[in-house]
Amino acid sequence: MKHEWRKKEKATYLPKAKPEIIDVPEYNYIVLSGEGNPNSEQFEESIGALYSMAYGIKMNLKKSGQPPQGYQDWTVYPLEGVWDISEKAKANYSGELDKDELVYDIMIRQPEFVNQAFFDEVLEMTKKKKPNMLLDKIRFEKITDGQCVQMLHVGSYDDEPESFAKMEEFVQETNLTRKSKIHREIYLSDFRKVPVEKLKTVLRFKVD
């Protein structure tokens, strides 16, 4: 049976539209780092390169005559982004966000049975079949977020500060501390196909 993250991992990917605490274990990811405005053509190309790799890994394992131990077909995980601002922006921050000063790691989670060696193999194959200069920047990483606060944000990305304000209030009420202004976003909707007011995004940041 195919592993469907929307059905099997609801606590991780389908939270309610109110803050909650979650402990996020170590997961495998393919990651691409960048900086600048997410509305740019380069950002869109970065997403395309990541998905080329994600589907390359999935299809090559599906066709493999000797799949790794624990293999199970799966639905490709959603795009995620970890967002910060540049050191220059931090030094001159006035309360207004300049999207051109954003720094990010965008990523797509991989199943436990995907490892560095297989990633390297598929990367070389993908570079030959679908050449893209950004492929050389994609890396395989194991990431642990640990204890976090998260909630579902519905609507425009520009309205996310309203949800973050609710999360900050929840943190204070539960006597937790936000570790940093860095946060993770998980994109449950395709912004190219879904109306802005119906976009669904998981917002998450680390606490202790």
Side-chain angles (χ1 to χ4, degrees), residues 82-204:
V82 175
W83 295 90
D84 196 4
I85 56 175
S86 68
E87 293 304 318
K88 176 185 174 183
K90 290 176 183 177
N92 300 291
Y93 189 66
S94 61
E96 293 289 329
L97 176 63
D98 181 352
K99 292 184 179 180
D100 291 334
E101 293 292 341
L102 286 168
V103 177
Y104 56 82
D105 285 338
I106 54 173
M107 60 194 73
I108 298 174
R109 185 179 152 194
Q110 301 299 302
E112 291 182 11
F113 48 79
V114 174
N115 58 28
Q116 180 72 56
F118 188 75
F119 166 81
D120 292 340
E121 180 182 333
V122 174
L123 179 60
E124 292 307 311
M125 293 171 61
T126 305
K127 284 160 66 175
K128 292 177 181 178
K129 291 182 179 180
K130 297 182 179 180
N132 186 326
M133 292 178 63
L134 291 169
L135 288 171
D136 282 325
K137 296 184 178 181
I138 298 177
R139 60 189 186 275
F140 181 84
E141 277 193 26
K142 293 180 178 291
I143 300 173
T144 307
D145 277 356
Q147 185 174 229
C148 297
V149 167
Q150 70 174 13
M151 72 174 283
L152 178 67
H153 172 79
V154 181
S156 170
Y157 303 130
D158 292 333
D159 293 335
E160 287 179 359
E162 297 173 13
S163 293
F164 280 120
K166 294 177 183 178
M167 295 166 72
E168 294 276 9
E169 183 178 354
F170 175 79
V171 166
Q172 293 180 358
E173 291 173 351
T174 50
N175 296 315
L176 294 169
T177 303
R178 183 173 180 176
K179 287 189 173 183
S180 74
K181 289 298 181 182
I182 298 172
H183 73 275
R184 179 181 293 272
E185 299 184 1
I186 304 175
Y187 307 102
L188 304 180
S189 307
D190 186 337
F191 66 89
R192 298 167 299 180
K193 302 176 182 178
V194 178
V196 171
E197 66 274 11
K198 294 184 178 180
L199 289 172
K200 292 184 178 181
T201 310
V202 178
L203 304 180
R204 183 186 295 164

